[in-house]
Amino acid sequence: MARSTPITPVTLDAAERMDLPELRALQLERLRRTLRHAYDNVELYRKKFDAAGVAPDDCRSLADLVRFPFTTKADLREGYPFGMFAVPMDQVRRIHASSGTTGRPTVVGYTENDLSMWADVVARSIRAAGGRRGHKVHISYGYGLFTGGLGAHYGAERAGCTVIPASGGMTARQVQIIQDFQPEIIMVTPSYMLTLLDEFDRQGVDPRGTSLRIGIFGAEPWTEEMRREIEERMDIHAVDIYGLSEVIGPGVAQECVETKDGLHIWEDHFYPEVVDPFTDRVMAEGEGGELVFTSLTKEALPIIRYRTRDLTRLLPGTARPAFRRMAKVTGRCDDMVILRGVNVFPSQIEEIVLRTPGVAPHFQIRLTRRGRMDHMTVRAESRPDASPEQREAAVATIARAVKDGVGVSVDVEIVAPETLERSMGKFKRIDDQRED
């Protein structure tokens, strides 16, 4: 379990102290302004609104947002590179972009006000995670066009922290820096945190004895089982941060360290909905579906009802009562594998792997085709101290758990430690070797 060292109580900012009627009034005011800004300055939005028969002034309540069309990643790619920008280029102070591995990258821009707001929400996220002024923050998110590194960087500075911009890679050196510089906080993808933990073990260093107290993990889905794995091996508080470049980057929502019960969405800047990914119906609070966001204060790239493809559900606020929570993302619509009529998500396999004795938290799903049938193989690494008998038992345990819990039959391979490719950023869980 995580360290018993108490977290110093945080002073909430003005927005975090708002009551619900005050927040809803602010959201409506900002939403109406955003819709007008997008319609007047982005041709794609003007065409989409006109085609749907709605105008910005038709939004008289928050419930009216459902009348407006969705925005998708394809829309952003259609506007590549700067067609979605709502301000002249001389007002854009920074540009980020996705990797573009599956097509044209999505390009996002930021005005000075956008960058300041972004730093504010990341700083708020760090404080909610337990970070305080004067803490040192080791940032292992990648820098560059990816929003993770620089988003975390400027947010940590805004929070009054000292930044260690380690970026990704050079894992052995990162372990040495953590020992020498003694940061209290690390910000990194959860899969790379596991890689760092393996490197601590390789160097014979007890990771529980480091200065780290808080891990802020994001950029990919991760499970409660992975939280327990990291907290036990590292002796830290492990909390979740959420964001995506099209909406702003990291800092859209944050898990509060005092509750660890889902991520509070910073609703004064980002308005959430959850919709059925197949019918587009807006889901009631507590019902699962695809997360959709509308920005409320962005200038360079206002985003209207953006379909994130992330699967979650909305819940009432707890540690920040006015702000709704989103449950941990369970997967992505486009990560779902349909295997012989059964929907399978990598997070389901992860939960099973992480609770299996003798198996390390490194796994990959390999998809192949045998004749006309798709087939899945779960490849997982054994722990270094696992006996041959434990490895053999793990094969049967995982296969049985997947069959019983997910409803499909799979092959299981337990491979030697350090066999699977490590990731410095988002880990690729699915290795699809099926022919088109």
Side-chain angles (χ1 to χ4, degrees):
M1 59 186 294
R3 274 177 209 277
S4 58
T5 304
I7 298 294
T8 304
V10 64
T11 300
L12 304 184
D13 63 31
E16 291 175 290
R17 297 194 301 271
M18 284 192 294
D19 60 28
L20 194 55
E22 186 180 6
L23 174 61
R24 293 291 180 255
L26 178 65
Q27 287 175 322
L28 180 58
E29 173 192 341
R30 289 178 168 179
L31 175 60
R32 287 171 57 87
R33 186 166 52 227
T34 293
L35 291 170
R36 172 56 62 186
H37 179 54
Y39 184 83
D40 289 347
N41 296 287
V42 181
E43 182 181 6
L44 183 139
Y45 280 127
R46 189 158 52 250
K47 290 180 177 178
K48 287 173 76 78
F49 286 16
D50 289 347
V54 292
D57 292 342
D58 293 333
C59 184
R60 299 181 179 88
S61 71
L62 292 172
D64 289 330
L65 181 58
V66 71
R67 300 173 59 189
F68 289 80
F70 294 108
T71 307
T72 66
K73 190 180 288 286
D75 291 325
L76 272 68
R77 286 174 173 155
E78 181 182 332
Y80 178 87
F82 308 133
M84 296 291 288
F85 287 9
V87 299
M89 189 56 68
D90 63 4
Q91 294 182 29
V92 176
R93 293 294 172 268
R94 194 190 305 165
I95 292 171
H96 283 282
S98 68
S99 61
T101 54
T102 58
R104 279 182 171 178
T106 56
V107 179
V108 293
Y110 304 79
T111 65
E112 288 183 14
N113 287 337
D114 292 336
L115 291 172
S116 182
M117 179 272 284
W118 189 14
D120 283 343
V121 294
V122 174
R124 183 191 289 174
S125 297
I126 291 171
R127 291 194 299 271
R132 299 293 180 264
R133 179 174 291 275
H135 281 171
K136 293 187 289 292
V137 182
H138 182 102
I139 297 175
S140 292
Y141 289 124
Y143 281 64
L145 289 177
F146 173 59
T147 56
L150 286 170
H153 183 120
Y154 285 100
E157 290 184 345
R158 180 65 57 88
C161 298
T162 301
V163 173
I164 302 170
S167 192
M170 296 185 292
T171 304
R173 184 167 180 260
Q174 295 219 28
V175 167
Q176 189 64 52
I177 289 172
I178 290 169
Q179 294 177 78
D180 294 345
F181 292 5
Q182 299 190 334
E184 289 83 4
I185 303 169
I186 186 167
M187 299 183 73
V188 62
T189 63
S191 58
Y192 191 58
M193 185 71 246
L194 294 174
T195 299
L196 288 171
L197 281 166
D198 289 346
E199 182 60 29
F200 273 104
D201 292 343
R202 191 176 294 108
Q203 294 186 22
V205 177
D206 180 7
R208 295 173 61 88
T210 73
S211 58
L212 288 171
R213 299 293 182 268
I214 298 163
I216 304 175
F217 304 114
E220 61 191 17
W222 55 299
T223 61
E224 288 298 322
E225 283 73 14
M226 189 177 287
R227 189 206 301 271
R228 285 190 284 271
E229 168 91 12
I230 291 172
E231 288 192 339
E232 174 61 31
R233 292 178 66 186
M234 196 85 210
D235 195 16
I236 62 175
H237 291 288
V239 290
D240 204 353
I241 189 170
Y242 177 85
L244 63 168
S245 60
E246 296 87 352
V247 176
I248 192 73
V252 174
Q254 173 65 47
E255 196 167 37
C256 298
V257 70
E258 62 266 40
T259 52
K260 296 182 186 175
D261 59 356
L263 301 98
H264 285 80
I265 299 166
W266 305 136
E267 285 199 66
D268 49 333
H269 296 287
F270 314 105
Y271 188 81
E273 302 170 88
V274 169
V275 305
D276 186 304
F278 304 106
T279 68
D280 299 342
R281 177 176 68 88
V282 176
M283 309 299 284
E285 190 172 89
E287 293 183 324
E290 179 185 356
L291 186 60
V292 172
F293 272 114
T294 298
S295 65
L296 300 177
T297 55
K298 285 176 66 181
E299 296 176 339
L301 186 77
I303 200 81
I304 310 299
R305 304 195 79 199
Y306 182 73
R307 305 193 67 140
T308 67
R309 312 303 291 167
D310 289 327
L311 298 169
T312 186
R313 54 198 174 97
L314 295 178
L315 303 166
T318 53
R320 307 294 186 271
F323 295 141
R324 283 170 289 182
R325 289 172 297 142
M326 52 179 282
K328 266 186 175 294
V329 172
T330 57
R332 291 178 54 82
C333 299
D334 42 11
D335 276 350
M336 183 179 73
V337 176
I338 302 177
L339 189 69
R340 297 187 288 280
V342 178
N343 297 342
V344 183
F345 292 96
S347 59
Q348 295 173 298
I349 306 300
E350 179 180 283
E351 290 176 0
I352 292 168
V353 168
L354 284 169
R355 65 174 185 250
T356 302
V359 178
H362 301 290
F363 77 96
Q364 194 168 54
I365 297 168
R366 175 172 290 172
L367 298 174
T368 55
R369 183 162 289 144
R370 297 178 181 176
R372 292 179 295 175
M373 300 292 290
D374 290 338
H375 193 79
M376 177 183 293
T377 301
V378 177
R379 306 181 73 234
E381 289 184 6
S382 68
R383 294 191 183 275
D385 57 352
S387 66
E389 292 76 18
Q390 281 183 306
R391 296 182 189 188
E392 184 176 347
V395 170
T397 298
I398 293 172
R400 183 171 56 251
V402 174
K403 177 65 174 178
D404 294 344
V406 182
V408 295
S409 297
V410 300
D411 284 343
V412 178
E413 294 180 9
I414 303 299
V415 299
E418 301 184 44
T419 297
L420 300 178
E421 182 182 357
R422 295 296 190 263
S423 170
M424 294 182 294
K426 299 182 183 183
F427 188 76
K428 183 181 178 183
R429 288 293 186 200
I430 298 176
D431 175 19
D432 193 344
Q433 297 187 356
R434 295 172 295 182
E435 297 179 358
D436 294 333

